[in-house]
Amino acid sequence: MDSQVGCPGCRRPIAVRASSAEQQVRCPYCRHVFLVPAAGTNPFLRPKPREEKKPAPVFDTRLLLAGALVMTTVCLPIGLFVAFRLSSSPSASDEAKQDVLTVGQNSEGTTLSGAFTPSAPAAAPPNATVPGGPSPNPAFAPTPRPMVPAPNGAAGIAPPSPPIPPTPPSAAGFAAANSTGSTLPPSSPAPVSSTELVAQIEPSVVVVDTGRGLGSGFVYDELGTIVTNYHVIEGAQKIVVRFADKSTADVAGYLAIAVGKDLAILRVNPQGRTMQPLRVAGEQPKKAEEVFAFGAPRGLASTVTNGIVSSVRQGSELRDNFKAMTGVDVYTEHQHYDLDAVWIQTTAPISGGNSGGPLVNRQGEVVGLNTWNRTDGQNLNFAISVEHVKKMMESTQSGVQPLASLPKPRKETVSAGTSEKTLAYWNEIGKINRTLFDRLRHTPRPHVPPLKKRTAAFFAKLAVYYKKVADFLPETAHKLRALDMAGVDGDVVLLVTADAFQLEQTADDLRKLSIEAEIGRYVHIFDMDQIHKKSYGRFDFVNIGAAYERMRLLLSARYQVQFPNIAGDAGAPKKAKSSDESEPDDDREKQASGKLKLAKQLLEAGKRDAARERLEKILDEYPGTAAAEAAEAALAELDGE
């Protein structure tokens, strides 16, 4: 029999054979040799333990009985209750039939496709109940669920449709509701993309050709009704309409005109053509709503621009604005518009030829007709509201009238201006122009060195120059507005008003450039030249006053009176002077010429820095003189070396 004994050296168990005599044993691990006493007396010798088998699991019968009791008393009743409720619920076909009866017809029997209309339900039994108790008012019964597909295609069951919330009816439903006198409003068309909108609108936009000019218009209905501005067809003997596909049609006559609203409704013979009318908006557009202007600006057919609605204004408001800015009733006396006209102000650009073209919203509905714009500002475009067109169509009872019965063209009015007052006003403008030109000429602009040689001192001088010019430009604008405009030609008043506005805008631009130069920011010098070219070329000394020159020729032909040149560089008529009189300008030229001669001598002596200082001083003290021009050329030559 084998037994185990512990090694006294490493304490590891070692198997030894039991013996009745003492024996010597060597540890196989630490090689330690020790004596093992005889069996029965060895305290380290212990028999090897036997392996015991695990007892089999014993099931507790009490737990089994408790589980069976829970199943029979709790789970079984719940399962039976659920099965009973499922077997008693209505089938899908029953729900569909019930919904058809509720949704398909209202109390008057009118079918509303895809829409729910509350109607009086059938009388309920006296004891009928709803979840939560008896219903106090049958009219407020719960809203029926949406229709579901009928199984097996049962006859008489409405086709399936998605759930629809209680909203205004669709187009089909609205048509059916109108047949029974319902007052449900029509639904607005969904917005489309810009490309889809253009493809939808362009076939209905036309070019109106009177032989004297071009305008625009659009198809109003399938009978061949065309809507445009009255001023487009004024005095026309023959009108041809050109469609987007390049085909043409003659205008047979007109249905109605409204001079004060600048509207004309024409009729063409479709000649088998399928006309595509545009939808008309049911209400005025909202401020900031996106709109698109269609037409043929300058004869360029199929042109579209976009912008937003800036405002919707009454004619009386525009009249007061014109009068406050110009002192003349331009709106009624010059443009001949009604005070009750409604105008849509937009930022969608329009030009000559756009007149009469449709102004369309994102839904493809016409909200107005592009009519005119103001040139004394930016993005001031106006369209007459389409509401006036709808009223004209409702009141039109007579048939097509021939073009020969159109009113005679209005004489060109000039706001009741007289030749005497207009000429006096013109001469006053000339005095203001010459004063401004002299101040500009005597305000020195610093010499502009090459880009690499522009120092902080140069930008400081440039900032001072910009600031000086910006200070006296508003003074000139104020003088122009303060002139007496009573009895003056309206076209001149508009030109001067726009000129004053541009002067103030130029002053603002110069102030910004002055600040940028003061903080050392890089300033593009050519910005000054670009600013000079504003305000009708007032600051362009090569072609100064181009707009005033065109106006001078127009006024001379209109009043048969010679209007003088009032450009700033034209100068005032000079009186004859005696031989002993001295001209101040001649003295300035002599002084500048002497200093220029000294600067050139310094250059010849090789003293470039001293010569540069002299030349710059000539530019500062004697601007506008021949010596100043020569000094600037000499400085440019020095900078180029």
Side-chain angles (χ1 to χ4, degrees), residues 446-469:
H447 168 67
V448 182
L451 182 61
K452 295 181 179 180
K453 296 184 179 181
R454 294 177 187 176
T455 62
F458 160 72
F459 283 110
K461 293 180 181 179
L462 189 64
V464 173
Y465 172 67
Y466 285 153
K467 190 174 182 180
K468 285 183 179 179
V469 179

Side-chain angles (χ1 to χ4, degrees), residues 181-195:
S182 175
T183 58
L184 293 175
S187 59
S188 299
V192 297
S193 66
S194 299
T195 55

Side-chain angles (χ1 to χ4, degrees), residues 131-474:
S135 176
N137 188 352
F140 294 93
T143 302
R145 287 167 291 184
M147 293 183 291
V148 296
N152 302 326
I157 304 301
S161 60
I164 300 177
T167 55
S170 61
F174 178 68
N178 279 347
S179 64
T180 60
S182 175
T183 58
L184 293 175
S187 59
S188 299
V192 297
S193 66
S194 299
T195 55
E196 292 174 341
L197 180 67
V198 172
Q200 174 185 342
I201 300 299
E202 276 193 341
S204 303
V205 181
V206 300
V207 178
V208 181
D209 187 357
T210 63
R212 299 180 295 105
L214 298 176
S216 303
F218 68 93
V219 179
Y220 187 82
D221 58 28
E222 296 178 352
L223 300 178
T225 303
I226 305 294
V227 182
T228 186
N229 283 139
Y230 173 74
H231 75 262
V232 172
I233 66 156
E234 185 175 9
Q237 300 297 322
K238 182 180 180 181
I239 304 175
V240 177
V241 171
R242 185 165 64 251
F243 295 88
D245 60 358
K246 308 301 182 182
S247 61
T248 60
D250 294 335
V251 173
Y254 66 94
L255 296 176
I257 59 173
V259 179
K261 307 294 190 302
D262 206 347
L263 289 172
I265 301 177
L266 311 177
R267 177 63 62 82
V268 300
N269 185 4
Q271 298 177 351
R273 178 195 311 275
T274 301
M275 307 297 287
Q276 302 182 33
L278 296 181
R279 295 193 307 271
V280 176
E283 59 182 7
Q284 299 288 1
K286 301 295 188 297
K287 187 178 292 188
E289 180 179 350
E290 186 179 15
V291 288
F292 298 80
F294 290 82
R298 302 302 180 188
L300 299 173
S302 300
T303 297
V304 58
T305 59
N306 72 320
I308 63 170
V309 174
S310 303
S311 183
V312 178
R313 305 187 185 277
Q314 298 292 326
S316 57
E317 180 184 358
L318 295 177
R319 187 273 310 269
D320 296 341
N321 177 263
F322 270 116
K323 205 166 184 178
M325 294 192 64
T326 65
V328 180
D329 188 0
V330 178
Y331 180 81
T332 56
E333 295 183 7
H334 186 65
Q335 295 176 301
H336 310 287
Y337 291 142
D338 294 339
L339 296 179
D340 62 345
V342 179
W343 299 95
I344 302 172
Q345 178 185 337
T346 77
T347 61
I350 58 175
S351 303
N354 270 117
S355 297
L359 184 70
V360 181
N361 60 18
R362 174 62 77 174
Q363 287 74 27
E365 300 171 325
V366 179
V367 297
L369 279 76
N370 307 308
T371 306
W372 58 280
N373 60 0
R374 290 184 60 165
T375 59
D376 58 339
Q378 297 179 352
N379 290 332
L380 297 176
N381 310 296
F382 294 86
I384 188 68
S385 174
V386 78
E387 293 293 327
H388 297 302
V389 177
K390 293 192 290 186
K391 294 178 181 179
M392 290 173 63
M393 291 297 296
E394 293 173 357
S395 60
T396 299
Q397 297 179 354
S398 59
V400 179
Q401 304 294 319
L403 295 177
S405 62
L406 282 172
K408 293 182 178 180
R410 295 164 291 182
K411 293 182 179 180
E412 184 179 2
T413 59
V414 289
S415 303
T418 62
S419 59
E420 293 81 7
K421 292 187 176 180
T422 302
L423 181 58
Y425 182 81
W426 184 259
N427 290 330
E428 289 297 324
I429 298 173
K431 294 179 182 179
I432 296 174
N433 272 343
R434 284 188 290 272
T435 301
L436 177 62
F437 180 82
D438 289 340
R439 296 189 69 174
L440 285 172
R441 187 179 61 177
H442 291 91
T443 301
R445 185 174 78 172
H447 168 67
V448 182
L451 182 61
K452 295 181 179 180
K453 296 184 179 181
R454 294 177 187 176
T455 62
F458 160 72
F459 283 110
K461 293 180 181 179
L462 189 64
V464 173
Y465 172 67
Y466 285 153
K467 190 174 182 180
K468 285 183 179 179
V469 179
D471 288 341
F472 61 73
L473 289 185

